Amino acid sequence: MDSITLRRPDDWHLHLRDGAMLAGIAPESARHFGRAIIMPNLVPPVVTGAQAQAYRDRITAALPADSGFTPLMTLYLTEESDPADIIAAHQSGLVTAVKLYPAGATTNSTSGVRDFDKVRPVLEAMAEHGIPLCVHGEVVDSDVDIFDREAVFIDRVLDPIRRRTPGLRVIMEHITTRQGVDYARAGGDDLGATITTHHLVINRNAILVGGIKPHYYCLPVAKREEHRLALRAAATSGDASFFLGTDSAPHTDPLKENACGCAGCFTATNTMSILAEVFEQENALDRLEAFASLNGPAFYRLPANETRVTLTKGDPVSYPAKIDTGDGPVTVFDPMMPLHWRVG
Ligand SMILES: [Zn+2]
């Protein structure tokens, strides 16, 4: 097979940032994707419907004319979130989902949730109204090893929340472990999981072997090879529980190449070429459309995109090493392998 046509893909987990960074990187996602779930972890975070409206307007202004790209907005769940505001923002069509960050788990998450009992009324209201909850699934306890934080979160936080709140629709964002794969697969129709492009490609050696490689550092951090293989098997299985959420998360080079470097890989530019390469390696090109274009909308109860994209195999694809933004250069994720599939 040297050409494959898919429904236009969507990105069910994306960081577009704000200001000059937003202007610089929004076209990278709009080029190939139809829609994206936009993360709300700005400073200050997008907590209210009014803030989501204003942020959506700024995103729309940053998109190329006629891009056809639709940002799907989320609200940042805090211990003070107002259930009535969340429900109104969802019912008006402004907001697609709500994002739960454990306080301190990742970039700009200090306003997140410390005491999960405090958000129980909000979660119950969301279950009642069918509003999906996107979860950053890592505990932040200092006594839990960073490589174990996802598995511990499932046992200590996620499973109890789901048992207490029947009907709550949950997306485990950017799963990175075999335990995450197993829990999502067994979770039934109200549980889905996104998988990033980069976690299909790298294990933790990419960050740590031969010198520290800050551009491969992200959260949740890449794990052992056995976990990468579990993610690849899940993504390429066609199982409707799993869909693409790139977690493409730009930081400028000075913030990555730093004594305390920021977490995030920027994959918006070359994600579709990387995914085609990965799915071809797994003899699963015929299941790329399920992962990138069909399973996500089905979980979110939205129609798949009507337009199509074609990927064609040929000589290695060139893509920029960096995107220049008004904030500074952003390094594009290097998958450490030639990419042969080009979009369009
Ligand atoms: Zn993210």
Side-chain angles (χ1 to χ4, degrees):
M1 212 186 317
D2 51 16
S3 158
I4 175 171
T5 297
L6 321 172
R7 298 268 189 163
R8 182 167 292 279
D10 300 304
D11 184 348
W12 300 96
H13 183 126
L14 177 63
H15 296 271
L16 284 181
R17 311 302 192 202
D18 213 343
M21 178 65 87
L22 166 64
I25 54 110
E28 298 301 300
S29 286
R31 194 174 299 130
H32 299 154
F33 293 99
R35 295 166 289 194
I37 286 275
I38 308 302
M39 288 296 123
N41 59 334
L42 306 181
V43 184
V46 179
V47 174
T48 65
Q51 288 168 322
Q53 176 83 59
Y55 186 31
R56 187 171 70 177
D57 291 346
R58 297 199 296 279
I59 294 169
T60 305
L63 291 169
D66 305 324
S67 72
F69 178 85
T70 304
L72 302 174
M73 307 309 291
T74 60
L75 294 180
Y76 188 119
L77 183 63
T78 72
E79 293 177 5
E80 288 76 43
S81 285
D82 174 8
D85 180 60
I86 289 174
I87 293 162
H90 183 259
Q91 284 180 343
S92 73
L94 169 65
V95 156
T96 302
V98 172
K99 178 68 189 262
L100 167 65
Y101 289 101
T106 189
T107 305
N108 302 338
S109 62
T110 46
S111 313
V113 176
R114 284 182 175 76
D115 179 352
F116 292 92
D117 281 339
K118 290 203 175 139
V119 295
R120 224 166 129 175
V122 180
L123 299 182
E124 281 164 6
M126 288 171 56
E128 192 182 321
H129 290 85
I131 306 172
L133 179 71
C134 301
V135 176
H136 182 110
E138 290 189 291
V139 294
V140 295
D141 312 52
S142 58
D143 62 332
V144 180
D145 190 279
I146 191 168
F147 293 100
D148 298 333
R149 289 179 172 197
E150 180 173 298
V152 172
F153 182 88
I154 293 169
D155 291 341
R156 283 193 198 165
V157 182
L158 181 58
D159 195 60
I161 284 178
R162 293 187 60 239
R163 284 176 195 281
R164 255 192 263 124
T165 326
L168 181 65
R169 298 175 57 69
V170 173
I171 302 100
M172 300 170 70
E173 301 283 74
H174 45 53
I175 57 170
T176 58
T177 58
R178 178 174 48 73
Q179 290 90 339
V181 167
D182 291 345
Y183 188 77
R185 191 179 272 134
D189 292 346
D190 289 333
L191 186 64
T194 58
I195 301 177
T196 76
T197 308
H198 51 282
H199 287 112
L200 297 173
V201 175
I202 60 166
N203 62 30
R204 62 195 197 176
N205 284 5
I207 312 164
L208 297 170
V209 172
I212 192 150
K213 312 275 177 36
H215 293 290
Y216 294 116
Y217 172 63
C218 61
L219 286 172
V221 71
K223 310 292 193 299
R224 287 176 181 277
E225 178 67 356
E226 66 163 300
H227 299 291
R228 185 184 75 104
L229 295 177
L231 296 171
R232 281 172 80 106
T236 58
S237 67
D239 184 326
S241 306
F242 302 105
F243 40 95
L244 174 63
T246 65
D247 197 15
S248 183
H251 294 281
T252 60
D253 285 352
L255 293 176
K256 293 289 291 177
E257 299 164 10
N258 188 300
C260 184
C262 291
C265 296
F266 181 72
T267 56
T269 303
N270 54 6
T271 273
M272 290 313 298
S273 295
I274 296 172
L275 289 176
E277 203 79 30
V278 166
F279 275 66
E280 184 182 39
Q281 289 163 1
E282 300 289 333
N283 289 315
L285 270 176
D286 57 335
R287 295 196 278 275
L288 178 57
E289 185 178 41
F291 179 69
S293 315
L294 301 177
N295 295 348
F299 186 87
Y300 276 93
R301 297 175 174 162
L302 295 168
N305 291 314
E306 280 304 325
T307 56
R308 264 94 177 155
V309 296
T310 296
L311 289 119
T312 311
K313 189 176 183 184
D315 293 335
V317 177
S318 59
Y319 50 86
K322 295 177 193 295
I323 303 296
D324 280 314
T325 75
D327 264 357
V330 172
T331 292
V332 175
F333 179 75
D334 173 5
M336 298 177 283
M337 60 181 171
L339 303 176
H340 300 90
W341 291 86
R342 109 185 36 246
V343 183

